[in-house]
Amino acid sequence: MRNQPTILAMGGGGFTMEPDNPALDDYILSLTDGPEPRVLFLPTASGDPTAQITSFYGRFGRMCSATHLSLFRRHGSARSLADIVLEQDVLYVGGGSMRNLLAIWTAHGLDELLVEAWRRGIVLVGLSAGAMCWFQGGITRSGGPPEVINGMGMLPGSFSVHADGEPERLPVWLAAVRSGELPGGWAADDGVALQFAGTKMVKVVTSRPGTAALRVDAVAGQLVRHRIEPVLLGTGVSKSPIDQPVSDDIRELRDLRYGMRRN
């Protein structure tokens, strides 16, 4: 029996960013039923690189029925995309260029299949571009500097990734939310994942201590910010950032990220 529509959107992390930390990938498998879930990896955003595909099998090959789909190497395939996609339990989308990702999916009709998969209760998972794509919009670096990009709109709101790893995205995202170019939404540090049941955000988890998510909305032209403490995987409890001395530059970045003044 299928679950309700589920999306896990990761700011960063998983096997491509944390080869020695399986916490997020283990959590993904916990969202499925059955002893041997079927997991399909979609490395489209990075051009189906061999190294990324190999890393996927290294992490998932012994834990589940793992396969990948290369849209760049479809010649000679006897099976339709619908047959491949709709038989899965998890569809895992890798990071890379969101602009290229959406263009290629649309050209193959995969975007519509992914919506159908979600409606059927197949778990959708992704990091970076593979996480932003489900939302109304986000901040991409596909063309170099951070810029606004529209997503598929399956989830309401916007999403900005790598909040701690690539903080240059945040000012662009905040300005877009303030101006109304993007709807309010979330920003997530690397290792942080937002879980959605249907279109409702129900849980935030992380593989890394000291990380967080941020909810931002524009109200009467002003930004309203709310820091979300995630559950640290493996502990079952939320964790506050580790207190340690920081430089003025880092403190200023944190003020920008979370809208808080620290003395």
Side-chain angles (χ1 to χ4, degrees):
M1 181 177 178
R2 291 292 189 186
N3 300 319
Q4 64 179 320
T6 299
I7 291 178
L8 189 73
M10 298 183 284
F15 68 93
T16 57
M17 292 186 65
E18 298 179 304
D20 299 320
N21 184 357
L24 277 174
D25 294 326
D26 288 347
Y27 184 75
I28 289 166
L29 295 180
S30 76
L31 301 176
T32 66
D33 297 322
E36 190 176 359
R38 293 160 295 186
V39 180
L40 180 69
F41 180 49
L42 300 171
T44 319
S46 293
D48 297 349
T50 299
Q52 196 178 83
I53 295 169
T54 300
S55 295
F56 165 72
Y57 284 111
R59 174 64 56 84
F60 284 93
R62 289 174 291 182
M63 300 188 297
C64 62
S65 177
T67 54
H68 76 280
L69 174 62
S70 174
L71 294 179
F72 290 88
R73 304 179 184 93
R74 283 283 294 157
H75 58 280
S77 176
R79 302 187 67 202
S80 70
L81 287 179
D83 288 341
I84 295 170
V85 169
L86 298 179
E87 72 177 7
Q88 306 298 324
D89 297 302
V90 177
L91 300 172
Y92 193 135
V93 183
S97 168
M98 182 167 162
R99 180 174 288 110
N100 292 347
L101 171 78
L102 295 176
I104 294 168
W105 281 0
T106 300
H108 287 266
L110 185 57
D111 53 342
E112 296 179 356
L113 278 176
L114 291 172
V115 174
E116 177 62 22
W118 175 66
R119 289 173 176 162
R120 293 190 184 193
I122 297 171
V123 178
L124 304 184
V125 176
L127 75 151
S128 193
M132 289 189 296
C133 62
W134 315 120
F135 294 81
Q136 289 175 264
I139 301 298
T140 183
R141 297 190 63 190
S142 298
E147 60 182 338
V148 172
I149 189 171
N150 291 327
M152 295 172 64
M154 295 159 61
L155 295 177
S158 59
F159 189 49
S160 186
V161 298
H162 304 308
D164 55 347
E166 297 179 7
E168 61 271 22
R169 293 177 187 255
L170 275 171
V172 180
W173 178 63
L174 293 171
V177 172
R178 184 194 295 272
S179 70
E181 187 177 6
L182 283 176
W186 297 267
D189 286 339
D190 289 332
V192 174
L194 279 60
Q195 182 177 336
F196 291 80
T199 58
K200 181 180 180 181
M201 201 275 284
V202 295
K203 191 173 184 180
V204 182
V205 299
T206 185
S207 60
R208 303 180 182 185
T211 54
L214 181 68
R215 173 73 200 197
V216 176
D217 292 281
V219 178
Q222 299 298 316
L223 295 179
V224 178
R225 317 177 196 209
H226 173 63
R227 178 184 168 101
I228 305 170
E229 299 290 351
V231 173
L232 181 62
L233 293 172
T235 67
V237 297
S238 298
K239 300 292 287 185
S240 297
I242 298 173
D243 291 327
Q244 54 184 326
V246 297
S247 70
D248 290 340
D249 289 342
I250 293 176
R251 184 175 293 107
E252 183 177 350
L253 279 175
R254 289 180 175 176
D255 290 342
L256 171 64
R257 287 165 56 197
Y258 305 122
M260 300 185 301
R261 298 298 301 175
R262 298 187 179 185
N263 295 326

